[in-house]
Amino acid sequence: MREKEDDEIIVGAPLLFETKEARFRGAYKLFASTILVSISLILFYRVTNFPTATRTESWAWIVMLVSEILFGLYWIITQSVRWRIAFQSPSKHTLLQRYDEEKMPGVDIFVCTADPKLEPPLMVINTILSAMAYNYPSNKLSVYLSDDGGSELTFYALFKASIFSKHWLPFCRKFNLQTRSPHAFFSPLNHNYHSHHHDHDDFHKQWLFIKKLYEEMKSDIETTLAKGKVADGERNFHKGFKEWSSKTKKQDHQSIVQIIIDGRDKNAVDEEGIQLPRVVYMAREKRPNYPHHFKAGAMNALIRVSSEISNGPLILNLDCDMYPSNADTIQETLCFFMDESRGQNIAYVQFPQNYNNLTNNDHYASSCLATDMIELAGISGHGAALYCGTGCFHRRESLSGSHFRDYKAKLDHMIMNTKIEDNRTVDELNEASKLLATCTYEHGTLWGKEMGLVYGIPVEDIASGLAITCRGWRSIYYNPERKAFIGVAPTTLDVALVQHKRWSEGMFQIFLSKYCPFIYGHGKINIGIQMGYCVYLLWAPLSLPTLSYAILPPLCLIRGIPLFPQPTSLWFLPFAYAFVANNVYSLCEALSCGSTIKSWLNLQRMRFIRRTTSYFFGFIDTITKQLGLSQTNFVVTDKVVTEDVQKRYEKEIIDFGGCSSIMLTMLVTLALLNLLGLLVGIRRIIMGQLIMIIQIVISAMIVMVNLPVYEALFIRSDKGSISSNVMIKSFVLASMACFIATFVL
């Protein structure tokens, strides 16, 4: 892709984006060095004070030593994302001065959905409509919906949205709306109407008219969803409905490609006569006994189908619940790709994931402010970005498997905004595209290996981003002041834990596969990028030292075995310093990112819960897969929220209802075990035995983070409480652990 002809490049022209490094990194490095010294002293203490009195003490000491080595190594890895933090600043004004609309590249937007029951079509089409409404030349914009559910209900919703777009897009342009998802715009939580257009009579009339049209469309879709099928009268409005019959099943159907709005059709215009963006529906072929590779397979099919229809040089991929919330995001992103001096080797630009339904104190710790503002920017400081699977703009060549050296070699023969005129009819394009979405098309090809997103790993996005980076491309992480994309955060503990189990499991699979950054990236990317990836790839094994610290201290406290130096010893200082300094820094970091103290406390709670449940079972499942005892699967999280669940969520009450029984049992067992340990510890303090004060503090902290667990066990009686069955199993397990520690070991 060539941004400008050689003779048009202006020497010394202003850059289209700037990169600035965070300040005070020298002070942080000094602080980190003190933590490293304390970690070294802790390990030295463990090695030089090895107990030999009993075998139980020796084994407990060994487990603690191994746990602290693992914690120390992980801490060292995390420093890679705090050593050099880089922030990107695009210059949209300079871009628009330098390039007119004709020189802007085509952009293909991919939206993926998998199940109309778990991912409501209304939510999907709101994402589609907001993508169609970007402030960008409509003839350069194409929106593709991949429906892995193969549902005529989703197709019907998209068809109705295409009709509504004829009114919605002019409304957005006329009043320069930034929130262009109809659901979000008409939400009572949106203050756009009252703050900007309160006295504007024309706006008020238009608002009422568009609101009425939206409600009518919404009612039609909901009525059809309730019936479970599209009425015969409605099916006559588009020939695409003929693709579905009584024999069509979710996992057994032919490939379906339907161009709903043809971007070349001069009659495909909105109510103001302006051309509408192209809109395409795709359901790739599904057959029994043919692997479909989940979202990665859908994305690869979209890459091929879009290359046949529009072939936009840039691709934006979105999850169906992640709608665009900044109308100018495309122009801002083009500043990176079209910068004459540094843009040619940029493969993708990743945006952070933001949410519109977070509570005041984010009790499920979904926002990850420090991750978005510091850690991901820290990887960007090394010249790379994690591809997170949504909210990411790609250069088509890099996503299709090209090495940067090959792309650079043929750069002079390519022009970014060139698209060969295609005179084929819509029907001809549909039929040609269907061949690219069959379940046998990829046989004997490099798709899923060297081309497109990689297969065989649940978090295909992370592995694909790493593969692209190792092919010589750079990538950008950009966190704009106005959120570019907004999604829906989990509203129950079950959804939050299932989501993190899938992520941790998939990322650990990457670490154990050929895509391990230290192996696959050796000699291709710098050590900072390799370590930055491993901050997340090692979530699952991090559960093991966390569980050791959650189980051994209370058990040894009950047994009377000290695991740490007493307060009067100098060896107490490195333990105390490492703990206090790390937590104080973590709190300051969170506050500097806009978090609250209570949000930070909620983050500590959720970290403990994730590590002892999601990450641990993700670790177990990964090991069983490596041993060939199970297969990779992909779980679609439920995005439908009932009224009582929503009420508990808004009150920031943790909803344990529906959680995996084994995960809850693990969590409750640890909570009860540490409560017993704390009670024994308090008794020891009363008796003047302060030698095990660190173990008492550890149990006390675990009890504090589990206060909502005790409340759900003993006080609450709503549907989000913990069942008596789980409580009994956990009490038995905790009692057995205490009995074994006291009388057997």
Side-chain angles (χ1 to χ4, degrees), residues 74-82 371 375 379 386 507 511 517-518 528-540 542 611 615:
Y74 185 75
W75 179 86
I76 291 172
I77 288 173
T78 63
Q79 298 316 295
S80 64
V81 297
R82 288 174 171 80
T371 299
E375 293 182 0
I379 298 176
L386 260 65
M507 289 190 287
F511 186 81
F518 294 126
I529 299 174
Q530 295 173 26
M531 294 171 67
Y533 269 91
C534 289
V535 170
Y536 307 98
L537 302 190
L538 295 176
W539 274 356
L542 191 62
R611 289 182 182 181
Y615 298 172

Side-chain angles (χ1 to χ4, degrees), residues 173-405:
R173 283 196 305 269
K174 182 176 182 179
F175 298 104
N176 194 27
L177 304 184
Q178 284 300 317
T179 302
R180 300 196 172 187
S181 160
H183 175 77
F185 179 76
F186 292 120
S187 168
L189 299 177
N190 181 35
H191 303 292
N192 192 329
Y193 171 64
H194 296 287
S195 60
H196 298 294
H197 303 286
H198 183 72
D199 298 321
H200 202 307
D201 291 339
D202 184 31
F203 174 82
H204 181 67
K205 292 177 182 177
Q206 288 285 322
W207 188 93
L208 291 175
F209 174 68
I210 299 296
K211 169 74 169 174
K212 179 175 178 290
L213 292 179
Y214 176 68
E215 292 299 330
E216 288 175 353
M217 177 191 70
K218 181 179 176 182
S219 176
D220 289 344
I221 294 173
E222 288 178 339
T223 300
T224 300
L225 290 174
K227 292 178 180 177
K229 66 175 185 177
V230 180
D232 292 338
E234 296 279 6
R235 296 174 70 90
N236 296 329
F237 288 112
H238 197 285
K239 58 186 177 182
F241 287 107
K242 295 178 181 178
E243 297 281 359
W244 283 269
S245 67
S246 58
K247 296 180 180 179
T248 304
K249 297 179 181 178
K250 179 180 178 180
Q251 298 297 334
D252 189 4
H253 62 79
Q254 79 284 8
S255 56
I256 303 172
V257 177
Q258 287 293 315
I259 299 175
I260 295 179
I261 298 178
D262 183 8
R264 307 165 303 169
D265 186 357
K266 294 182 179 180
N267 295 318
V269 296
D270 60 30
E271 62 182 12
E272 292 182 348
I274 296 177
Q275 183 178 343
L276 289 169
R278 180 184 284 105
V279 175
V280 182
Y281 172 91
M282 182 200 79
R284 58 200 173 109
E285 183 182 19
K286 296 280 189 71
R287 299 297 181 194
N289 302 320
Y290 280 90
H292 56 84
H293 304 295
F294 312 106
K295 182 181 174 182
M299 281 287 293
N300 288 345
L302 280 172
I303 294 171
R304 297 191 297 270
V305 168
S306 64
S307 68
E308 186 74 19
I309 298 174
S310 54
N311 201 32
L314 297 182
I315 293 171
L316 164 63
N317 84 278
L318 297 171
D319 284 345
C320 63
D321 61 341
M322 189 72 64
Y323 67 86
S325 62
N326 183 349
D328 298 323
T329 294
I330 294 180
Q331 286 93 329
E332 291 183 3
T333 306
L334 289 179
C335 292
F336 301 109
F337 287 109
M338 300 181 72
D339 185 271
E340 290 88 347
S341 60
R342 298 172 295 165
Q344 293 179 353
N345 65 345
I346 294 176
Y348 59 87
V349 178
Q350 176 67 59
F351 288 78
Q353 298 184 31
N354 301 289
Y355 306 100
N356 63 355
N357 64 329
L358 294 176
T359 56
N360 291 334
N361 297 298
D362 189 17
H363 60 298
Y364 290 129
S366 300
S367 59
C368 305
L369 290 176
T371 299
D372 289 345
M373 299 181 70
I374 295 177
E375 293 182 0
L376 295 179
I379 298 176
S380 185
H382 297 289
L386 260 65
Y387 169 36
C388 299
T390 183
C392 188
F393 285 85
H394 300 266
R395 196 183 294 269
R396 182 178 287 272
E397 285 85 357
S398 67
L399 195 59
S400 300
S402 294
H403 287 256
F404 175 66
R405 63 176 182 271

Side-chain angles (χ1 to χ4, degrees), residues 22-35 79 82-83 577 585:
R23 298 181 298 169
F24 309 118
R25 287 299 92 190
Y28 176 78
K29 291 174 183 178
L30 179 63
F31 165 75
S33 65
T34 65
I35 298 292
Q79 298 316 295
R82 288 174 171 80
W83 217 244
Y577 178 76
Y585 174 78

Side-chain angles (χ1 to χ4, degrees), residues 64 544-555 608 612 669-671 673-674 698-699 702:
M64 295 301 289
L544 300 181
T546 304
L547 281 169
S548 298
Y549 256 71
I551 295 172
L552 273 182
L555 288 180
F608 176 81
T612 55
T669 300
L670 293 175
L673 181 62
N674 280 276
I698 291 173
S699 286
I702 293 176

